Amino acid sequence: MKKILLTIAMFIGVITSAFSKEIIPEYYVMERLLIPIEDSKTYKYIGAEEIGRFKEIKAIQVDKKVLKGLGTSENPFYMKSSSGNVKAVRVGDYIVSPLNLSSVYFVAKDTFEQNYRDINALEVSIETAEVSTMTEKVDTSEVDEANNRINTSEN
C-alpha cells in the first residue's frame, strides 16, 4: 500500500511541475530590466490605429539574455500586470516602457514590427529573426550578407 501511495505522490509531483507556469509580476520585470530598457533604442508608433499615450517608447526584445536577467528559462513565461491581467510573453516578443520608465508591458513580436519604427530610422521596417528555441546557433556559412539574413539551424 505504501508503494502505491508513493507512486501516486510521485506521479502527481511530476504532473504538477510539468503543467505549472511561472508568473512574474510587472514590478519584478521592471526592477530587473530597468537598466537594459533605459539603454535601449527609442521607437515611435506609426500604426494606423489612433493611440492616446506612449507614441514613443523604449523596447527590448525578449531573448536568452533577458530571460537570464529575469531568472527564468521558461518560454513562454507569464507576466502579471499591475491591473492583475496575466499574459504569456514568448521569446521574440518585446518588453516596452514609456520614455519616463514608469511602467513596463509587452507587445507581441508581429504587432511591434508592424506598428513601431526606430526613431532614428523611421523608414526602415523592423525585421527580427524568428527565435523559436534557446539552442539556436549561427553557422557562418549560412550568413546571406546580400539579403541581410541569417539562416539558423538547431544543433
PDB file of all heavy atoms in Angstrom, residues 99-124:
ATOM      1  N   LEU A  99       8.819  56.499 -22.247  1.00  0.00           N
ATOM      2  CA  LEU A  99      10.121  57.142 -22.096  1.00  0.00           C
ATOM      3  C   LEU A  99      10.448  57.505 -20.650  1.00  0.00           C
ATOM      4  O   LEU A  99      11.617  57.534 -20.266  1.00  0.00           O
ATOM      5  CB  LEU A  99      10.210  58.392 -22.972  1.00  0.00           C
ATOM      6  CG  LEU A  99      10.175  58.128 -24.482  1.00  0.00           C
ATOM      7  CD1 LEU A  99      10.257  59.433 -25.253  1.00  0.00           C
ATOM      8  CD2 LEU A  99      11.267  57.174 -24.904  1.00  0.00           C
ATOM      9  N   ASN A 100       9.431  57.758 -19.823  1.00  0.00           N
ATOM     10  CA  ASN A 100       9.698  58.096 -18.425  1.00  0.00           C
ATOM     11  C   ASN A 100       9.917  56.855 -17.553  1.00  0.00           C
ATOM     12  O   ASN A 100      10.122  56.970 -16.346  1.00  0.00           O
ATOM     13  CB  ASN A 100       8.581  58.959 -17.846  1.00  0.00           C
ATOM     14  CG  ASN A 100       7.247  58.245 -17.783  1.00  0.00           C
ATOM     15  OD1 ASN A 100       7.129  57.061 -18.086  1.00  0.00           O
ATOM     16  ND2 ASN A 100       6.222  58.985 -17.397  1.00  0.00           N
ATOM     17  N   LEU A 101       9.880  55.665 -18.163  1.00  0.00           N
ATOM     18  CA  LEU A 101      10.148  54.383 -17.499  1.00  0.00           C
ATOM     19  C   LEU A 101       9.245  54.149 -16.283  1.00  0.00           C
ATOM     20  O   LEU A 101       9.654  53.559 -15.291  1.00  0.00           O
ATOM     21  CB  LEU A 101      11.624  54.279 -17.094  1.00  0.00           C
ATOM     22  CG  LEU A 101      12.640  54.465 -18.221  1.00  0.00           C
ATOM     23  CD1 LEU A 101      14.046  54.514 -17.672  1.00  0.00           C
ATOM     24  CD2 LEU A 101      12.509  53.380 -19.268  1.00  0.00           C
ATOM     25  N   SER A 102       8.005  54.582 -16.388  1.00  0.00           N
ATOM     26  CA  SER A 102       7.072  54.475 -15.264  1.00  0.00           C
ATOM     27  C   SER A 102       6.402  53.111 -15.152  1.00  0.00           C
ATOM     28  O   SER A 102       5.872  52.771 -14.099  1.00  0.00           O
ATOM     29  CB  SER A 102       5.995  55.556 -15.373  1.00  0.00           C
ATOM     30  OG  SER A 102       5.273  55.391 -16.585  1.00  0.00           O
ATOM     31  N   SER A 103       6.416  52.341 -16.222  1.00  0.00           N
ATOM     32  CA  SER A 103       5.800  51.017 -16.208  1.00  0.00           C
ATOM     33  C   SER A 103       6.403  50.192 -17.332  1.00  0.00           C
ATOM     34  O   SER A 103       7.115  50.709 -18.185  1.00  0.00           O
ATOM     35  CB  SER A 103       4.279  51.127 -16.394  1.00  0.00           C
ATOM     36  OG  SER A 103       3.989  51.711 -17.648  1.00  0.00           O
ATOM     37  N   VAL A 104       6.114  48.892 -17.316  1.00  0.00           N
ATOM     38  CA  VAL A 104       6.527  48.016 -18.408  1.00  0.00           C
ATOM     39  C   VAL A 104       5.338  47.174 -18.831  1.00  0.00           C
ATOM     40  O   VAL A 104       4.445  46.897 -18.029  1.00  0.00           O
ATOM     41  CB  VAL A 104       7.705  47.090 -18.033  1.00  0.00           C
ATOM     42  CG1 VAL A 104       8.963  47.873 -17.798  1.00  0.00           C
ATOM     43  CG2 VAL A 104       7.378  46.213 -16.857  1.00  0.00           C
ATOM     44  N   TYR A 105       5.331  46.816 -20.076  1.00  0.00           N
ATOM     45  CA  TYR A 105       4.341  45.887 -20.591  1.00  0.00           C
ATOM     46  C   TYR A 105       4.966  45.193 -21.784  1.00  0.00           C
ATOM     47  O   TYR A 105       6.095  45.496 -22.160  1.00  0.00           O
ATOM     48  CB  TYR A 105       3.018  46.595 -20.930  1.00  0.00           C
ATOM     49  CG  TYR A 105       3.122  47.754 -21.888  1.00  0.00           C
ATOM     50  CD1 TYR A 105       2.835  47.603 -23.236  1.00  0.00           C
ATOM     51  CD2 TYR A 105       3.523  49.016 -21.452  1.00  0.00           C
ATOM     52  CE1 TYR A 105       2.926  48.667 -24.118  1.00  0.00           C
ATOM     53  CE2 TYR A 105       3.609  50.081 -22.319  1.00  0.00           C
ATOM     54  CZ  TYR A 105       3.309  49.902 -23.658  1.00  0.00           C
ATOM     55  OH  TYR A 105       3.416  50.948 -24.525  1.00  0.00           O
ATOM     56  N   PHE A 106       4.270  44.235 -22.368  1.00  0.00           N
ATOM     57  CA  PHE A 106       4.865  43.544 -23.501  1.00  0.00           C
ATOM     58  C   PHE A 106       4.000  43.750 -24.734  1.00  0.00           C
ATOM     59  O   PHE A 106       2.807  44.003 -24.652  1.00  0.00           O
ATOM     60  CB  PHE A 106       5.072  42.049 -23.207  1.00  0.00           C
ATOM     61  CG  PHE A 106       3.918  41.189 -23.602  1.00  0.00           C
ATOM     62  CD1 PHE A 106       3.926  40.524 -24.816  1.00  0.00           C
ATOM     63  CD2 PHE A 106       2.814  41.056 -22.781  1.00  0.00           C
ATOM     64  CE1 PHE A 106       2.858  39.738 -25.197  1.00  0.00           C
ATOM     65  CE2 PHE A 106       1.747  40.275 -23.154  1.00  0.00           C
ATOM     66  CZ  PHE A 106       1.766  39.610 -24.367  1.00  0.00           C
ATOM     67  N   VAL A 107       4.664  43.661 -25.890  1.00  0.00           N
ATOM     68  CA  VAL A 107       3.986  43.741 -27.179  1.00  0.00           C
ATOM     69  C   VAL A 107       4.448  42.527 -27.974  1.00  0.00           C
ATOM     70  O   VAL A 107       5.649  42.247 -28.048  1.00  0.00           O
ATOM     71  CB  VAL A 107       4.336  45.042 -27.929  1.00  0.00           C
ATOM     72  CG1 VAL A 107       3.697  45.068 -29.305  1.00  0.00           C
ATOM     73  CG2 VAL A 107       3.918  46.262 -27.122  1.00  0.00           C
ATOM     74  N   ALA A 108       3.507  41.810 -28.555  1.00  0.00           N
ATOM     75  CA  ALA A 108       3.847  40.639 -29.364  1.00  0.00           C
ATOM     76  C   ALA A 108       4.752  41.051 -30.526  1.00  0.00           C
ATOM     77  O   ALA A 108       4.646  42.165 -31.057  1.00  0.00           O
ATOM     78  CB  ALA A 108       2.578  39.981 -29.888  1.00  0.00           C
ATOM     79  N   LYS A 109       5.631  40.167 -30.914  1.00  0.00           N
ATOM     80  CA  LYS A 109       6.633  40.425 -31.947  1.00  0.00           C
ATOM     81  C   LYS A 109       6.016  40.986 -33.222  1.00  0.00           C
ATOM     82  O   LYS A 109       6.452  42.014 -33.730  1.00  0.00           O
ATOM     83  CB  LYS A 109       7.389  39.122 -32.239  1.00  0.00           C
ATOM     84  CG  LYS A 109       8.444  39.218 -33.314  1.00  0.00           C
ATOM     85  CD  LYS A 109       9.066  37.846 -33.540  1.00  0.00           C
ATOM     86  CE  LYS A 109      10.151  37.844 -34.551  1.00  0.00           C
ATOM     87  NZ  LYS A 109       9.728  38.113 -35.898  1.00  0.00           N
ATOM     88  N   ASP A 110       5.003  40.319 -33.766  1.00  0.00           N
ATOM     89  CA  ASP A 110       4.398  40.752 -35.026  1.00  0.00           C
ATOM     90  C   ASP A 110       3.766  42.134 -34.908  1.00  0.00           C
ATOM     91  O   ASP A 110       3.906  42.968 -35.796  1.00  0.00           O
ATOM     92  CB  ASP A 110       3.360  39.738 -35.498  1.00  0.00           C
ATOM     93  CG  ASP A 110       3.981  38.400 -35.858  1.00  0.00           C
ATOM     94  OD1 ASP A 110       5.193  38.359 -36.154  1.00  0.00           O
ATOM     95  OD2 ASP A 110       3.256  37.386 -35.845  1.00  0.00           O
ATOM     96  N   THR A 111       3.071  42.385 -33.815  1.00  0.00           N
ATOM     97  CA  THR A 111       2.427  43.677 -33.593  1.00  0.00           C
ATOM     98  C   THR A 111       3.474  44.774 -33.483  1.00  0.00           C
ATOM     99  O   THR A 111       3.319  45.857 -34.063  1.00  0.00           O
ATOM    100  CB  THR A 111       1.571  43.637 -32.310  1.00  0.00           C
ATOM    101  OG1 THR A 111       0.607  42.598 -32.444  1.00  0.00           O
ATOM    102  CG2 THR A 111       0.880  44.957 -32.056  1.00  0.00           C
ATOM    103  N   PHE A 112       4.548  44.511 -32.767  1.00  0.00           N
ATOM    104  CA  PHE A 112       5.609  45.502 -32.605  1.00  0.00           C
ATOM    105  C   PHE A 112       6.232  45.837 -33.957  1.00  0.00           C
ATOM    106  O   PHE A 112       6.408  47.004 -34.298  1.00  0.00           O
ATOM    107  CB  PHE A 112       6.673  44.987 -31.636  1.00  0.00           C
ATOM    108  CG  PHE A 112       7.708  46.021 -31.293  1.00  0.00           C
ATOM    109  CD1 PHE A 112       7.493  46.903 -30.247  1.00  0.00           C
ATOM    110  CD2 PHE A 112       8.888  46.113 -32.007  1.00  0.00           C
ATOM    111  CE1 PHE A 112       8.437  47.873 -29.921  1.00  0.00           C
ATOM    112  CE2 PHE A 112       9.841  47.069 -31.700  1.00  0.00           C
ATOM    113  CZ  PHE A 112       9.616  47.956 -30.655  1.00  0.00           C
ATOM    114  N   GLU A 113       6.565  44.812 -34.727  1.00  0.00           N
ATOM    115  CA  GLU A 113       7.223  45.035 -36.012  1.00  0.00           C
ATOM    116  C   GLU A 113       6.322  45.770 -36.999  1.00  0.00           C
ATOM    117  O   GLU A 113       6.805  46.502 -37.851  1.00  0.00           O
ATOM    118  CB  GLU A 113       7.706  43.708 -36.585  1.00  0.00           C
ATOM    119  CG  GLU A 113       8.858  43.143 -35.783  1.00  0.00           C
ATOM    120  CD  GLU A 113       9.276  41.750 -36.217  1.00  0.00           C
ATOM    121  OE1 GLU A 113       8.637  41.167 -37.109  1.00  0.00           O
ATOM    122  OE2 GLU A 113      10.257  41.237 -35.643  1.00  0.00           O
ATOM    123  N   GLN A 114       5.019  45.604 -36.892  1.00  0.00           N
ATOM    124  CA  GLN A 114       4.072  46.304 -37.768  1.00  0.00           C
ATOM    125  C   GLN A 114       3.904  47.762 -37.368  1.00  0.00           C
ATOM    126  O   GLN A 114       3.717  48.617 -38.231  1.00  0.00           O
ATOM    127  CB  GLN A 114       2.693  45.657 -37.690  1.00  0.00           C
ATOM    128  CG  GLN A 114       2.444  44.579 -38.678  1.00  0.00           C
ATOM    129  CD  GLN A 114       1.002  44.105 -38.545  1.00  0.00           C
ATOM    130  OE1 GLN A 114       0.472  43.933 -37.448  1.00  0.00           O
ATOM    131  NE2 GLN A 114       0.367  43.886 -39.672  1.00  0.00           N
ATOM    132  N   ASN A 115       3.908  48.045 -36.082  1.00  0.00           N
ATOM    133  CA  ASN A 115       3.468  49.350 -35.594  1.00  0.00           C
ATOM    134  C   ASN A 115       4.552  50.274 -35.064  1.00  0.00           C
ATOM    135  O   ASN A 115       4.252  51.425 -34.744  1.00  0.00           O
ATOM    136  CB  ASN A 115       2.417  49.157 -34.503  1.00  0.00           C
ATOM    137  CG  ASN A 115       1.168  48.533 -35.056  1.00  0.00           C
ATOM    138  OD1 ASN A 115       0.608  49.009 -36.034  1.00  0.00           O
ATOM    139  ND2 ASN A 115       0.726  47.450 -34.442  1.00  0.00           N
ATOM    140  N   TYR A 116       5.769  49.816 -34.927  1.00  0.00           N
ATOM    141  CA  TYR A 116       6.822  50.669 -34.360  1.00  0.00           C
ATOM    142  C   TYR A 116       8.035  50.710 -35.281  1.00  0.00           C
ATOM    143  O   TYR A 116       8.332  49.753 -35.975  1.00  0.00           O
ATOM    144  CB  TYR A 116       7.244  50.163 -32.978  1.00  0.00           C
ATOM    145  CG  TYR A 116       6.189  50.405 -31.926  1.00  0.00           C
ATOM    146  CD1 TYR A 116       5.237  49.437 -31.642  1.00  0.00           C
ATOM    147  CD2 TYR A 116       6.138  51.607 -31.236  1.00  0.00           C
ATOM    148  CE1 TYR A 116       4.250  49.666 -30.692  1.00  0.00           C
ATOM    149  CE2 TYR A 116       5.158  51.844 -30.281  1.00  0.00           C
ATOM    150  CZ  TYR A 116       4.223  50.865 -30.017  1.00  0.00           C
ATOM    151  OH  TYR A 116       3.259  51.100 -29.079  1.00  0.00           O
ATOM    152  N   ARG A 117       8.717  51.851 -35.249  1.00  0.00           N
ATOM    153  CA  ARG A 117       9.956  52.037 -36.003  1.00  0.00           C
ATOM    154  C   ARG A 117      10.976  52.714 -35.105  1.00  0.00           C
ATOM    155  O   ARG A 117      10.636  53.532 -34.250  1.00  0.00           O
ATOM    156  CB  ARG A 117       9.739  52.925 -37.242  1.00  0.00           C
ATOM    157  CG  ARG A 117       8.800  52.350 -38.278  1.00  0.00           C
ATOM    158  CD  ARG A 117       9.404  51.117 -38.964  1.00  0.00           C
ATOM    159  NE  ARG A 117       8.496  50.548 -39.925  1.00  0.00           N
ATOM    160  CZ  ARG A 117       7.623  49.578 -39.684  1.00  0.00           C
ATOM    161  NH1 ARG A 117       7.541  49.057 -38.486  1.00  0.00           N
ATOM    162  NH2 ARG A 117       6.845  49.110 -40.621  1.00  0.00           N
ATOM    163  N   ASP A 118      12.245  52.413 -35.357  1.00  0.00           N
ATOM    164  CA  ASP A 118      13.340  53.082 -34.656  1.00  0.00           C
ATOM    165  C   ASP A 118      13.234  54.575 -34.952  1.00  0.00           C
ATOM    166  O   ASP A 118      13.110  54.974 -36.109  1.00  0.00           O
ATOM    167  CB  ASP A 118      14.672  52.520 -35.164  1.00  0.00           C
ATOM    168  CG  ASP A 118      15.879  53.068 -34.439  1.00  0.00           C
ATOM    169  OD1 ASP A 118      15.785  54.155 -33.828  1.00  0.00           O
ATOM    170  OD2 ASP A 118      16.934  52.418 -34.494  1.00  0.00           O
ATOM    171  N   ILE A 119      13.271  55.395 -33.932  1.00  0.00           N
ATOM    172  CA  ILE A 119      13.080  56.833 -34.108  1.00  0.00           C
ATOM    173  C   ILE A 119      14.155  57.445 -34.997  1.00  0.00           C
ATOM    174  O   ILE A 119      13.939  58.467 -35.641  1.00  0.00           O
ATOM    175  CB  ILE A 119      12.998  57.548 -32.738  1.00  0.00           C
ATOM    176  CG1 ILE A 119      12.344  58.908 -32.897  1.00  0.00           C
ATOM    177  CG2 ILE A 119      14.360  57.666 -32.087  1.00  0.00           C
ATOM    178  CD1 ILE A 119      11.823  59.487 -31.624  1.00  0.00           C
ATOM    179  N   ASN A 120      15.315  56.807 -35.081  1.00  0.00           N
ATOM    180  CA  ASN A 120      16.415  57.304 -35.920  1.00  0.00           C
ATOM    181  C   ASN A 120      16.351  56.792 -37.351  1.00  0.00           C
ATOM    182  O   ASN A 120      17.137  57.219 -38.187  1.00  0.00           O
ATOM    183  CB  ASN A 120      17.758  56.938 -35.301  1.00  0.00           C
ATOM    184  CG  ASN A 120      17.952  57.599 -33.960  1.00  0.00           C
ATOM    185  OD1 ASN A 120      17.605  58.760 -33.784  1.00  0.00           O
ATOM    186  ND2 ASN A 120      18.479  56.860 -32.997  1.00  0.00           N
ATOM    187  N   ALA A 121      15.448  55.859 -37.630  1.00  0.00           N
ATOM    188  CA  ALA A 121      15.313  55.295 -38.977  1.00  0.00           C
ATOM    189  C   ALA A 121      13.847  54.920 -39.213  1.00  0.00           C
ATOM    190  O   ALA A 121      13.513  53.747 -39.347  1.00  0.00           O
ATOM    191  CB  ALA A 121      16.222  54.087 -39.135  1.00  0.00           C
ATOM    192  N   LEU A 122      12.985  55.914 -39.271  1.00  0.00           N
ATOM    193  CA  LEU A 122      11.546  55.667 -39.379  1.00  0.00           C
ATOM    194  C   LEU A 122      11.146  54.934 -40.649  1.00  0.00           C
ATOM    195  O   LEU A 122      10.148  54.220 -40.674  1.00  0.00           O
ATOM    196  CB  LEU A 122      10.776  56.992 -39.286  1.00  0.00           C
ATOM    197  CG  LEU A 122      10.809  57.672 -37.926  1.00  0.00           C
ATOM    198  CD1 LEU A 122      10.153  59.034 -37.993  1.00  0.00           C
ATOM    199  CD2 LEU A 122      10.129  56.803 -36.884  1.00  0.00           C
ATOM    200  N   GLU A 123      11.910  55.100 -41.728  1.00  0.00           N
ATOM    201  CA  GLU A 123      11.548  54.461 -42.996  1.00  0.00           C
ATOM    202  C   GLU A 123      11.943  52.987 -43.066  1.00  0.00           C
ATOM    203  O   GLU A 123      11.514  52.264 -43.955  1.00  0.00           O
ATOM    204  CB  GLU A 123      12.162  55.235 -44.170  1.00  0.00           C
ATOM    205  CG  GLU A 123      13.678  55.173 -44.258  1.00  0.00           C
ATOM    206  CD  GLU A 123      14.426  56.070 -43.265  1.00  0.00           C
ATOM    207  OE1 GLU A 123      13.817  56.913 -42.598  1.00  0.00           O
ATOM    208  OE2 GLU A 123      15.652  55.891 -43.157  1.00  0.00           O
ATOM    209  N   VAL A 124      12.749  52.523 -42.131  1.00  0.00           N
ATOM    210  CA  VAL A 124      13.230  51.141 -42.149  1.00  0.00           C
ATOM    211  C   VAL A 124      12.339  50.286 -41.255  1.00  0.00           C
ATOM    212  O   VAL A 124      12.208  50.538 -40.069  1.00  0.00           O
ATOM    213  CB  VAL A 124      14.697  51.060 -41.664  1.00  0.00           C
ATOM    214  CG1 VAL A 124      15.183  49.625 -41.661  1.00  0.00           C
ATOM    215  CG2 VAL A 124      15.591  51.940 -42.508  1.00  0.00           C
TER     216      VAL A 124
END
